[in-house]
Amino acid sequence: MKASGLMTGAAVAALSAALGSGPVLAQQLDVITVTAQKREQDVSDVPIAISVVTGETLDDFEIGTLDDLQLSVPNFQVTQTGIGTQMYIRGIGTGNDPAFEQSVAQFIDGVSYGRARLTRAPFFDLERVEVLRGPQSVLFGKNTTGGALSLVAARPTTEFEAGVDVSYMFDTEDATVDAYVSGPLADNLAGRIAVRGASSGGFVSNPNTGEDGPQHDDFAVRGMLLFTPGENFDATLKVEHNRFDVDGREIEVVRDIATGPVNYAQALDLVGLTGAMTNTEFDFVRDGDAPEHSDNTVSNVTLTTNTYFEPGTLTTVTGYVSYDRDELADLDFTNYYILTGLVAEDYEQFSQEIRFSSEPGEHLSWIGGVYFQTSSLSNDDVTGFGSAIANLGYGPLANVGLERNYQQDSTAYAVFGEATLNVSERVRLIGGLRWTYEEKDASRQIVATQSPDSFGAADVTNGTTLAIIQAGLGVALNNTGAAGHDLNQSREEDRLTPSLTLEFDASDTLMLFASYKEGFKGGGFDVRGNSTAFFEFDDETVTSYEAGLRADLWDGRMQFNATAYMAQYENLQISQFDGTIGFNVGNAGETEVAGIDMDTRIALTDNLTLSAGLSYLDFEYTDFRRGNCAFGETPDGDVVNGVQLCDYTGRRGRFTPEWTGFARFDYVRPLEAGYELRTTLNMGYTGEHNVHDNLDPYGDVDAYTLVDLRIGLDSDRWGIAVVGRNLLDEEILTFAANVPFASSVGANTQYAVPLRPRVFGVQGSLRF
């Protein structure tokens, strides 16, 4: 792929001749406009490592979630885990705990979507997605230590237009219908309404229940109004509601390795749980008996105004976001009721940003503003012990639940500014500074109750049961006569995060830049911890250095970008499975990441365009002595709460392949009667890396290449296409962890999340 980015004219001519299109007559590339720096700019003028996926590409390949976006963006990974979603850029991301805000922050139309659950919401009717790598801590600012995703919804139009897109994937029975209507409603008022309905039949079978999973049922609707009473003012109001429900999960046990006389499946048979675990290979077949479901709703209201003055533009962004989810998960991965997880989570957020952007000047331009955000998070969960746990020797735990109640209120204030000084016609100096203040109040309580699958049940009073939970499972309880687990704490912090960038126009078509940035993500309090000893975790900070170039070549028919980077992180916020039923939340000491990101777009001919990217990543924990030990690993790290952990110093982290890349060929050939043949080949490469929660060597995943292909026939009014995804039928695991209780019999038993196998489908569209 690197060679593609440096393709010579002779090579292009040879490729063109092979395609039968004669001599090279390539047109200039379309301009891609982004708002990565809160101004509209050509993407080639932005001194940030950025990837842009257009709305057309999103529609062509039915990219409706962040999971699907990975193929088009190198150095970007998204995975489902046993209890949440994780998103990584350059190997930096955030673990499972619901209290974590994301190191890779998501912004939709300028509003922060910092919670992990919000990344699960489907997106539709988008103008583009901008993926910014590295800390973006001045203009975005809210917890962007690893990067930022900026999603921009399609806007109302001044002329009437409408469309319907439908698709169906045969093997998984995925069906999607997207529709929109846009146009003028009255003088100075335009509107747009977009709707999505989608369902999926799943791709992992469960012979015990006779159901495939995950089965999705999604519905989303968005309405937008654009009010333009004059040349000096405009306002956009967006109201959106999403409902996405899931039955079943794509989780299966993929290995069951015995270090003693029996493995875990055999041990379960020996204690009377016959046939509890029948599938322990990676084969898209799973065990499970719980009626798993995840019901989610997300709502948001965003009001954006722009007032245009002679010296600049005053912009306000007012946002309200809320979600709630109810979830039941099978946590033992067997055909018996041993362990389940029940979750009820609610979140509300209000934010207000006010900023002023000066007009670009000959010498100085600037952006300055203030930001306010308040939020409330409520997370209640029950870890349920079913009747079958008695067969494992925990009879007193049968039909007992551990109910955890967590509440957090948070407030953040910020003042920010960035100025661009034109030192000369070719040299620019950009300096920025953001001051952020955050305060959080949190409480957590855990009690043992007499119901494993409901909230608010009566407390357990049996002393034997309480003793087993506390001594055997390491859970502090607030039951009468127990150790006590009723925590209430507060924290506040403030931080200055500066940035400095130097740009040099080496020529009219080549821009060089170097930058220094700092970023931070506020600390907080652990939702899922079982011990009272480590309720609070610290803030996460980063110091980043970047240098790169942006080049327009070949008379506007080629763009080439490269960014080299080195970043030093302190106190990365982590969450790791503790081997029983809980998670440890804390901070990694020091981490260094370095590498290079390259991408190119080339108009090879009038009909053929190549987009490609290649990234190299060097990742190392330079001081991290509090990692959870993998199965069978000898502890050699710090002692935490009486338990010696493992030293991760010198290791790579999860989701840190050395090489990632993509290449996309778009071929458009005009036909008779106004028709077009449109073919897109999309290829994504991910190098070898580890996906296990505790860096178990069995979690190493071989390098793989994903290939998607779309062939379509389009006219001005309609289109039809065939689509194939994962054409090489790569079998890929995206996350792995250990099955609870398996280690008690000396078995290294792991569950994992697979990527969807090869699927084929059809698409159709109508435009009015």
Side-chain angles (χ1 to χ4, degrees):
M1 282 178 244
K2 182 178 180 180
S4 299
L6 302 175
M7 187 172 289
T8 65
V12 172
L15 178 60
S16 175
L19 292 169
S21 56
V24 175
L25 297 171
Q27 61 184 349
Q28 290 190 335
L29 292 169
D30 293 333
V31 173
I32 296 179
T33 301
V34 298
T35 52
Q37 297 189 109
K38 302 296 184 178
R39 299 177 184 269
E40 290 191 351
Q41 294 175 284
D42 184 336
V43 67
S44 62
D45 295 331
V46 177
I48 299 170
I50 181 173
S51 296
V52 182
V53 183
T54 64
E56 183 179 43
T57 299
L58 297 171
D59 293 339
D60 285 349
F61 284 102
E62 290 296 319
I63 298 175
T65 65
L66 293 177
D67 304 53
D68 301 326
L69 192 64
Q70 302 174 76
L71 183 61
S72 300
V73 181
N75 235 338
F76 173 59
Q77 284 85 35
V78 179
T79 182
Q80 297 297 305
T81 73
I83 61 171
T85 302
Q86 298 180 359
M87 182 166 56
Y88 289 77
I89 289 179
R90 294 176 175 172
I92 300 300
T94 302
N96 275 322
D97 199 274
F100 286 152
E101 294 184 285
Q102 302 302 292
S103 298
V104 178
Q106 182 180 201
F107 297 84
I108 300 182
D109 293 322
V111 175
S112 172
Y113 281 53
R115 317 303 306 185
R117 179 54 43 172
L118 291 169
T119 65
R120 302 306 310 146
F123 46 78
F124 64 106
D125 195 38
L126 295 180
E127 180 180 310
R128 65 184 181 277
V129 176
E130 302 174 13
V131 182
L132 287 64
R133 301 180 185 87
Q136 312 297 324
S137 53
V138 173
L139 298 181
F140 286 91
K142 182 60 178 167
N143 295 334
T144 54
T145 57
L149 274 72
S150 178
L151 282 64
V152 180
R155 293 297 195 259
T157 54
T158 56
E159 296 183 359
F160 175 81
E161 61 180 47
V164 178
D165 297 287
V166 297
S167 68
Y168 184 79
M169 309 304 288
F170 296 105
D171 294 333
T172 55
E173 299 181 349
D174 292 5
T176 304
V177 179
D178 290 330
Y180 71 92
V181 178
S182 181
L185 299 176
D187 290 343
N188 305 320
L189 182 66
R192 187 182 189 99
I193 185 167
V195 179
R196 159 165 286 203
S199 63
S200 173
F203 59 90
V204 176
S205 63
N206 184 337
N208 188 51
T209 63
E211 300 288 340
D212 293 342
Q215 297 183 17
H216 290 261
D217 182 13
D218 303 340
F219 176 77
V221 59
R222 177 192 304 134
M224 299 183 72
L225 293 174
L226 173 61
F227 180 53
T228 53
E231 295 182 356
N232 297 326
F233 180 80
D234 62 65
T236 304
L237 175 65
K238 180 184 72 173
V239 180
E240 184 173 342
H241 179 75
N242 288 271
R243 174 186 56 79
F244 49 104
D245 300 335
V246 184
D247 291 327
R249 293 193 296 172
E250 64 267 54
I251 289 180
E252 60 173 306
V253 175
V254 296
R255 58 183 60 92
D256 185 17
I257 304 168
T259 60
V262 295
N263 59 26
Y264 190 44
Q266 293 166 337
L268 293 173
D269 287 338
L270 290 174
V271 297
L273 302 180
T274 306
M277 190 172 288
T278 62
N279 296 283
T280 59
E281 302 291 336
F282 179 18
D283 55 5
F284 298 100
V285 178
R286 63 164 301 191
D287 295 299
D289 70 315
E292 294 180 296
H293 66 268
S294 179
D295 299 332
N296 306 263
T297 61
V298 178
S299 300
N300 75 81
V301 179
T302 303
L303 175 63
T304 304
T305 70
N306 292 291
T307 306
Y308 304 97
F309 301 96
E310 184 173 338
T313 302
L314 177 67
T315 299
T316 71
V317 182
T318 307
Y320 170 81
V321 182
S322 69
Y323 73 83
D324 63 77
R325 67 158 172 151
D326 294 292
E327 190 165 300
L328 175 66
D330 189 326
L331 300 182
D332 57 61
F333 312 106
T334 74
N335 294 321
Y336 288 84
Y337 188 176
I338 300 174
L339 189 67
T340 59
L342 179 67
V343 179
E345 183 176 4
D346 295 281
Y347 178 76
E348 285 190 298
Q349 171 188 302
F350 173 81
S351 63
Q352 178 66 64
E353 180 173 331
I354 303 172
R355 66 176 183 270
F356 189 87
S357 305
S358 72
E359 292 295 331
E362 293 185 3
H363 300 294
L364 181 69
S365 60
W366 53 274
I367 298 176
V370 295
Y371 180 79
F372 167 77
Q373 177 178 305
T374 182
S375 65
S376 176
L377 171 68
S378 174
N379 186 285
D380 299 327
D381 68 80
V382 175
T383 301
F385 302 106
S387 58
I389 200 169
N391 297 66
L392 303 184
Y394 296 95
L397 298 186
N399 300 312
V400 168
L402 293 180
E403 181 172 342
R404 182 186 289 104
N405 305 115
Y406 180 91
Q407 178 70 42
Q408 176 180 287
D409 295 311
S410 176
T411 303
Y413 306 87
V415 179
F416 61 91
E418 184 177 88
T420 300
L421 175 65
N422 295 299
V423 180
S424 69
E425 289 186 0
R426 293 190 176 273
V427 179
R428 293 173 297 281
L429 186 64
I430 305 171
L433 185 66
R434 188 181 190 101
W435 174 79
T436 303
Y437 169 83
E438 292 190 9
E439 58 183 19
K440 294 184 175 75
D441 301 300
S443 63
R444 188 182 72 198
Q445 182 185 78
I446 302 179
V447 295
T449 73
Q450 298 178 30
S451 174
D453 51 16
S454 64
F455 293 102
D459 289 3
V460 169
T461 58
N462 183 284
T464 302
T465 300
L466 299 179
I468 291 175
I469 293 172
Q470 294 189 120
L473 300 181
V475 181
L477 296 172
N478 203 44
N479 296 67
T480 301
H485 195 134
D486 190 3
L487 304 174
N488 291 273
Q489 291 189 28
S490 301
R491 64 175 285 127
E492 58 182 69
E493 56 201 324
D494 67 283
R495 180 79 61 166
L496 284 172
T497 51
S499 71
L500 186 65
T501 302
L502 178 65
E503 295 182 358
F504 171 58
D505 293 333
S507 69
D508 292 341
T509 59
L510 176 63
M511 186 261 282
L512 307 177
F513 70 91
S515 67
Y516 169 87
K517 298 178 181 179
E518 294 182 14
F520 102 108
K521 178 158 74 88
F525 302 97
D526 180 7
V527 172
R528 291 188 51 81
N530 291 325
S531 168
T532 60
F534 299 96
F535 182 43
E536 186 174 0
F537 55 87
D538 291 332
D539 60 317
E540 173 180 303
T541 62
V542 58
T543 301
S544 172
Y545 308 86
E546 295 190 356
L549 61 88
R550 303 287 181 262
D552 290 313
L553 307 171
W554 203 14
D555 297 326
R557 288 173 284 171
M558 177 179 177
Q559 291 179 345
F560 178 76
N561 308 312
T563 305
Y565 61 89
M566 194 275 284
Q568 298 170 321
Y569 287 84
E570 293 188 4
N571 292 327
L572 279 178
Q573 294 167 3
I574 57 171
S575 173
Q576 297 172 299
F577 183 53
D578 65 8
T580 56
I581 60 168
F583 285 78
N584 294 324
V585 169
N587 299 87
E590 297 178 358
T591 305
E592 286 190 3
V593 298
I596 185 169
D597 296 319
M598 297 177 287
D599 66 85
T600 186
R601 288 196 302 144
I602 312 173
L604 299 173
T605 72
D606 276 349
N607 306 111
L608 181 64
T609 303
L610 167 66
S611 302
L614 183 66
S615 292
Y616 171 77
L617 171 66
D618 182 23
F619 182 106
E620 181 182 359
Y621 291 122
T622 54
D623 181 15
F624 182 14
R625 294 181 50 81
R626 295 189 172 191
N628 274 352
C629 298
F631 180 88
E633 186 176 5
T634 302
D636 60 351
D638 292 344
V639 176
V640 179
N641 198 26
V643 177
Q644 187 173 19
L645 301 176
C646 281
D647 188 356
Y648 280 19
T649 303
R651 301 191 196 183
R652 294 182 74 92
R654 294 178 301 152
F655 314 120
T656 59
E658 280 193 336
W659 293 98
T660 55
F662 82 97
R664 184 174 67 249
F665 290 91
D666 293 292
Y667 181 70
V668 180
R669 189 175 188 86
L671 303 174
E672 295 181 359
Y675 295 109
E676 283 185 340
L677 176 67
R678 296 181 60 235
T679 302
T680 300
L681 178 66
N682 213 20
M683 299 175 289
Y685 172 82
T686 302
E688 179 183 356
H689 60 287
N690 191 286
V691 299
H692 193 278
D693 214 27
N694 295 343
L695 294 180
D696 189 306
Y698 282 106
D700 289 340
V701 173
D702 293 335
Y704 57 86
T705 301
L706 294 174
V707 179
D708 292 351
L709 177 66
R710 182 185 186 274
I711 302 175
L713 181 65
D714 292 324
S715 72
D716 291 338
R717 297 293 300 275
W718 61 268
I720 189 169
V722 294
V723 179
R725 305 187 66 178
N726 190 10
L727 291 181
L728 302 181
D729 203 20
E730 294 270 24
E731 296 185 352
I732 302 161
L733 299 179
T734 64
F735 174 83
N738 281 71
V739 172
F741 299 115
S743 61
S744 64
V745 300
N748 187 359
T749 309
Q750 298 180 10
Y751 69 89
V753 178
L755 196 67
R756 182 171 54 183
R758 179 170 52 204
V759 292
F760 294 97
V762 293
Q763 297 175 335
S765 63
L766 286 175
R767 294 292 180 265
F768 305 95

